[in-house]
Amino acid sequence: MYQAKIYITLKQSVLDPQGSAVTKSLHAMGYENVKDVRVGRYLVVDVDAPSKEAAGEQVHDMCRKLLANPVIEDYTFELVEV
Amino acid sequence: MKFGVIVFPGSNCDADCLHAVKAVLDQPVEYIWHKSNSVDGFDCIILPGGFSYGDYLRAGAIARFSPVMEAVINYAQKGGWVLGICNGFQVLLEAGLLPGAMRRNNNLQFICQDTYLKVENCSTPFTALCHPGEVLKIPVAHGEGNYYCDEKTLKELKQNNQIVFRYCDEMGKVTGEANPNGSINNIAGICNRHGNVLGMMPHPERCAEEILGSSDGAVLFKSILASWQRRVK
């Protein structure tokens, strides 16, 4: 069994209104050294697969088809055996 | 002319769309459950507004994989007329029937208000009775209506005359102030290259009769029927 920890964020080229709001709020709290915030989604997916490569391939597929929207989002993931 | 209104779990404008077709056009109209795998026999399919699958993951992302969508995609690719309103528009984007994607509104608020729309393309079956530059007052109600596409796609949309509605002021001027949600190029509605698929964030079904305070939305429904009658002749 493998566990994928998937991080999905808006692409750098896409304005992130939530991130901008959080940045402003942090500045107002005195954290003026905060340069940028990107808000995203975090998913933990357990996959039963014969090998790490097979699991990784499937997770890529899932991200491209459903979990992330490639028009506006980027994804990365870490894969560990559990 | 027979209309079908798709019902996803969480659709909440399905009854309004059904009513609008009956009240404005007096044409036959039926609900189509999301588990159906056929849309045969319908002359126009409406994907209504709402929160399909609770907007989980992204608005429209899960609905796009419901069984009926495969039939809707085939239907659209064969030239069938498909109108997606609000969440229906989001589903069409996720399904790849229209280009681009929706972001959260730039003020992060759910916006529920009247908007003015400039009609930019009167050659679609959905806008055939409009005149170029006509201004329609139609309400929006959404949290994710901030349309986005990359520069290349925007260029293509312009070149192919796919931008159908843009947010404007009462006089028809397309301004930053008239843009409620931050959409690129004030885009409120776009069609596919062939013009048989239209997605729009504003709700024409909510303003299709005088008793609702405005009947500006009726022109969309009337256009569909008029275009159909022209095609059948």
Side-chain angles (χ1 to χ4, degrees), chain B residues 125-205:
Chain B
F126 314 94
T127 52
L129 297 181
C130 298
H131 52 82
E134 183 172 352
V135 176
L136 303 173
K137 186 170 115 183
I138 299 184
V140 293
H142 60 246
E144 289 178 46
N146 182 351
Y147 178 79
Y148 172 84
C149 64
D150 60 24
E151 292 276 324
K152 184 174 160 272
T153 308
L154 182 62
K155 209 173 150 195
E156 283 170 9
L157 288 175
K158 286 179 184 169
Q159 270 170 0
N160 302 324
N161 204 18
Q162 286 175 256
I163 299 169
V164 180
F165 299 115
R166 293 171 79 202
Y167 298 110
C168 64
D169 65 16
E170 203 173 343
M171 305 309 294
K173 265 202 190 139
V174 178
T175 63
E177 294 76 56
N179 186 342
N181 51 29
S183 282
I184 269 183
N185 209 30
N186 281 43
I187 285 175
I190 55 168
C191 63
N192 64 346
R193 264 187 109 118
H194 297 289
N196 62 304
V197 178
L198 172 71
M200 62 189 295
M201 288 314 291
H203 288 271
E205 80 283 8

Side-chain angles (χ1 to χ4, degrees), chain A residues 41 66-67 73, chain B residues 8-12 48-64 85-91 94 102-105 110 141-145 201:
Chain A
R41 271 193 307 278
L66 175 65
L67 305 181
E73 294 173 328
Chain B
F8 298 108
S11 293
N12 65 12
F51 298 87
S52 58
Y53 297 87
D55 269 359
Y56 296 159
L57 200 58
R58 293 180 307 278
I62 298 181
R64 176 254 175 279
I85 300 166
C86 198
N87 188 231
F89 185 9
Q90 294 163 338
V91 175
E94 285 286 340
M102 288 296 174
R103 298 168 297 186
R104 292 277 299 274
N105 294 341
F110 188 94
H142 60 246
E144 289 178 46
M201 288 314 291

Side-chain angles (χ1 to χ4, degrees), chain B:
Chain B
M1 178 177 190
K2 191 175 167 191
F3 287 77
V5 178
I6 308 277
V7 183
F8 298 108
S11 293
N12 65 12
C13 301
D14 41 346
D16 307 54
C17 287
L18 193 97
H19 172 81
V21 172
K22 278 188 191 165
V24 178
L25 303 179
D26 194 23
Q27 293 295 307
V29 53
E30 282 174 21
Y31 291 123
I32 306 171
W33 187 232
H34 68 111
K35 287 200 168 153
S36 166
N37 48 23
S38 162
V39 292
D40 292 349
F42 292 95
D43 302 309
C44 180
I45 300 292
I46 301 175
L47 276 69
F51 298 87
S52 58
Y53 297 87
D55 269 359
Y56 296 159
L57 200 58
R58 293 180 307 278
I62 298 181
R64 176 254 175 279
F65 287 101
S66 59
V68 77
M69 280 311 293
E70 204 173 318
V72 170
I73 290 168
N74 278 329
Y75 179 84
Q77 283 168 348
K78 284 183 201 149
W81 294 352
V82 179
L83 169 62
I85 300 166
C86 198
N87 188 231
F89 185 9
Q90 294 163 338
V91 175
L92 292 175
L93 292 169
E94 285 286 340
L97 285 173
L98 293 172
M102 288 296 174
R103 298 168 297 186
R104 292 277 299 274
N105 294 341
N106 62 351
N107 66 2
L108 298 178
Q109 291 174 12
F110 188 94
I111 302 168
C112 187
Q113 65 182 53
D114 279 329
T115 55
Y116 292 98
L117 307 178
K118 188 176 177 193
V119 184
E120 300 277 6
N121 177 347
C122 304
S123 61
T124 78
F126 314 94
T127 52
L129 297 181
C130 298
H131 52 82
E134 183 172 352
V135 176
L136 303 173
K137 186 170 115 183
I138 299 184
V140 293
H142 60 246
E144 289 178 46
N146 182 351
Y147 178 79
Y148 172 84
C149 64
D150 60 24
E151 292 276 324
K152 184 174 160 272
T153 308
L154 182 62
K155 209 173 150 195
E156 283 170 9
L157 288 175
K158 286 179 184 169
Q159 270 170 0
N160 302 324
N161 204 18
Q162 286 175 256
I163 299 169
V164 180
F165 299 115
R166 293 171 79 202
Y167 298 110
C168 64
D169 65 16
E170 203 173 343
M171 305 309 294
K173 265 202 190 139
V174 178
T175 63
E177 294 76 56
N179 186 342
N181 51 29
S183 282
I184 269 183
N185 209 30
N186 281 43
I187 285 175
I190 55 168
C191 63
N192 64 346
R193 264 187 109 118
H194 297 289
N196 62 304
V197 178
L198 172 71
M200 62 189 295
M201 288 314 291
H203 288 271
E205 80 283 8
R206 293 191 186 180
C207 59
E209 298 161 275
E210 272 311 323
I211 195 170
L212 299 174
S214 164
S215 60
D216 281 11
V219 71
L220 272 103
F221 297 99
K222 288 178 181 167
S223 291
I224 298 171
L225 183 60
S227 305
W228 176 255
Q229 286 164 341
R230 247 177 258 165
R231 193 162 93 163
V232 170
K233 270 181 207 168

